[in-house]
Amino acid sequence: MGRLSFFRRVRQAIGLTGLAVLFLLPAPAQAETDIPAQLGPRPFYLLEQLEAGALKDRLEACKAGPFYRSDFSIAHRGAPLQFPEHTRQSYQAALTMGAGIVECDVTFTQDRELVCRHSQCDLQATTDILLKPELAGKCTQPFQPADPATGAAASAKCCTSDITLAEFRTLKGKMDGVNKQATTPEEYVRGTADWRTDLYSATGTLMTHGESLNLIDRAGAKFTPELKAPQISMPFDGDFSQQDYARKLVEDYKARNIDPSRVYLQSFNLEDIRFWIETEPDFGRQAVYLDGRSKQIRPDDPNSFSPSMQALADMGLKIIAPPIWMLLSLDDTGEIIPSLYARKAREAGLDIIAWSLERSGPLTNGGGWYYKTVKPAIRSDGDMLKVLDILARDVGVIGVFSDWPATTTFYANCTDKN
């Protein structure tokens, strides 16, 4: 993730008008790092709001590009700021914007087929299942309307394990969200946040894990599948255990002869990480522990890190991935600095990935949950770039998940994080 590629150096030297000359040159050894990216206006919208200073000057000088794919830029569920998450359209948008690594959150259907969904039981919020009576009736909890008399919110719970793969394929993805005041299923599914958009929701092609692999592989990018925690009792149907589930995920890569170096397995469950390290060492050596200890961790109190960073490293873990807020703190002057959590992770030899940029919506009120340790220093959307710079330069993260990968691609190209 570090140096300017051969193609990029030559292209910068000769300019776009001389691009044809490249066809006379020997191909670079790692051509996949030279894939052009299309960023669109958002990174420059954020740049306009960034406060004046050295970072803004450096990024302003880079506005003309050219821009290329970067492994620093990790697509969180594709590009769900504008496209329905975990759909073919969302993944393709992320790849177009230069994401070098693309995430499929993996869960399973009733017939144990692996599919891409953020949660095993989120179909009511991310698909049109409630608008299909023949499938809505199979939901773990069918739609219940809001009751103004009691104040009860509208609710439903529809799981991938409620339906077969064939039934899953009939669904269409939509923007994540529900209307908890709804009295009908039609009202319930209309819950898109006002800072997202339904402009691209007319088509939302759901993906199996295998289909996502095929798409990402054809594009020459890398993979970061997350084994989602089951929301039903395991073993499923009495004989499909958590280890069977973890093993089945890896088998999809083996069946396609995908090099393990291109795969970053993820889980919030430390036992999944241990299982991969012990039984699939080629894949396990760069498995990513998603640190979900948000109720336990106090980023500047090492006594709250249990297990400790060194204990994690001693078990063979190489990469830890906490939410952005765990990595940041404020100094006595109110400036953002790396947290003790971040420093201890680096001291233990752990690489760090952060999640998730552009998940909070507008940052005018301090940035929400992802920025909760540094709220006083967050004043505008331009501060996303400031936070990104601190994560990269001071914390030393090797990659950042984003809901709009063009932003992380822009930063990576402008600061040689490719």
Side-chain angles (χ1 to χ4, degrees):
M1 302 184 189
R3 58 184 181 82
L4 289 171
S5 64
F6 172 88
F7 184 96
R8 182 176 178 185
R9 291 182 188 277
V10 175
R11 185 171 179 178
Q12 288 176 328
I14 67 176
L16 292 173
T17 58
L19 188 59
V21 175
L22 289 177
F23 292 101
L24 304 177
L25 297 174
Q30 294 182 326
E32 70 274 7
T33 64
D34 302 318
I35 297 174
Q38 300 175 30
L39 303 188
R42 181 162 175 79
F44 311 107
Y45 167 81
L46 299 178
L47 180 58
E48 183 178 357
Q49 297 182 63
L50 181 63
E51 63 187 3
L55 175 60
K56 185 165 188 172
D57 291 344
R58 182 173 188 180
L59 298 181
E60 287 275 5
C62 178
K63 284 174 64 175
F67 301 108
Y68 300 91
R69 177 179 292 169
S70 170
D71 287 356
F72 183 83
S73 180
I74 306 174
H76 182 238
R77 315 184 200 180
L81 187 64
Q82 291 193 8
F83 291 83
E85 64 186 42
H86 292 310
T87 61
R88 178 172 58 79
Q89 293 79 12
S90 190
Y91 291 158
Q92 189 58 63
L95 290 164
T96 299
M97 287 187 277
I101 305 174
V102 180
E103 179 187 50
C104 167
D105 290 327
V106 181
T107 186
F108 55 87
T109 61
Q110 189 179 81
D111 44 354
R112 307 181 188 185
E113 296 297 330
L114 302 184
V115 295
C116 299
R117 286 291 90 201
H118 175 62
S119 167
Q120 185 174 32
C121 297
D122 73 358
L123 296 182
Q124 72 283 352
T126 63
T127 77
D128 61 349
I129 191 170
L130 292 179
L131 305 183
K132 296 178 178 291
E134 70 281 8
L135 297 183
K138 296 184 177 185
C139 290
T140 295
Q141 179 200 320
F143 173 72
Q144 299 292 322
D147 185 347
T150 65
S155 63
K157 183 178 181 181
C158 303
C159 306
T160 56
S161 51
D162 291 335
I163 59 176
T164 66
L165 177 60
E167 291 168 332
F168 177 84
R169 289 186 184 280
T170 69
L171 302 178
K172 185 180 77 172
K174 74 175 192 69
M175 295 300 282
D176 183 15
V178 298
N179 174 9
K180 294 186 178 181
Q181 306 306 312
T183 58
T184 67
E186 289 76 15
E187 292 175 347
Y188 187 75
V189 300
R190 292 196 293 269
T192 304
D194 59 10
W195 44 270
R196 291 180 176 161
T197 178
D198 287 312
L199 184 62
Y200 303 104
S201 293
T203 57
T205 308
L206 301 191
M207 303 285 282
T208 67
H209 180 231
E211 288 166 347
S212 79
L213 266 58
N214 294 339
L215 174 66
I216 297 165
D217 192 31
R218 284 195 301 270
K222 297 177 182 177
F223 315 82
T224 187
E226 179 190 336
L227 195 74
K228 299 304 297 187
Q231 295 186 10
I232 45 87
S233 297
M234 298 292 277
F236 179 62
D237 272 355
D239 63 350
F240 186 58
S241 69
Q242 183 70 20
Q243 292 188 348
D244 292 332
Y245 176 31
R247 186 180 297 109
K248 186 175 178 69
L249 172 64
V250 175
E251 290 300 325
D252 272 355
Y253 293 90
K254 289 182 173 181
R256 290 167 175 78
N257 294 315
I258 291 173
D259 192 316
S261 67
R262 296 174 62 198
V263 184
Y264 297 83
L265 304 177
Q266 304 177 83
S267 181
F268 281 97
N269 181 354
L270 196 53
E271 291 308 308
D272 292 337
I273 303 296
R274 291 181 189 272
F275 176 75
W276 287 323
I277 290 172
E278 292 170 2
T279 66
E280 298 287 353
D282 289 345
F283 290 89
R285 66 171 52 100
Q286 60 183 28
V288 180
Y289 173 43
L290 297 165
D291 196 342
R293 299 173 291 174
S294 61
K295 294 182 179 179
Q296 170 188 331
I297 295 290
R298 296 181 297 280
D300 289 315
D301 178 6
N303 292 323
S304 70
F305 312 162
S306 180
S308 69
M309 298 299 179
Q310 191 57 56
L312 292 171
D314 290 345
M315 63 167 272
L317 182 72
K318 303 296 184 186
I319 308 173
I320 193 167
I324 289 170
W325 66 264
M326 284 191 191
L327 297 169
L328 304 177
S329 187
L330 296 174
D331 67 13
D332 292 340
T333 68
E335 294 298 313
I336 300 175
I337 59 172
S339 66
L340 183 61
Y341 174 105
R343 299 200 302 273
K344 288 295 184 183
R346 293 299 304 276
E347 288 173 9
L350 298 176
D351 284 327
I352 304 171
I353 292 172
W355 50 271
S356 294
L357 200 72
E358 303 188 88
R359 189 75 189 162
S360 290
L363 303 191
T364 52
N365 295 314
W369 185 82
Y370 288 92
Y371 301 86
K372 68 179 188 177
T373 51
V374 293
K375 275 182 178 291
I378 303 297
R379 302 177 183 87
S380 75
D381 284 356
D383 286 331
M384 287 188 202
L385 294 173
K386 180 171 73 173
V387 165
L388 192 54
D389 185 56
I390 293 166
L391 289 171
R393 179 172 45 84
D394 298 335
V395 174
V397 300
I398 62 172
V400 177
F401 279 96
S402 177
D403 279 22
W404 197 245
T407 301
T408 43
T409 300
F410 171 64
Y411 177 85
N413 276 253
C414 292
T415 58
D416 196 20
K417 290 289 180 182
N418 296 316

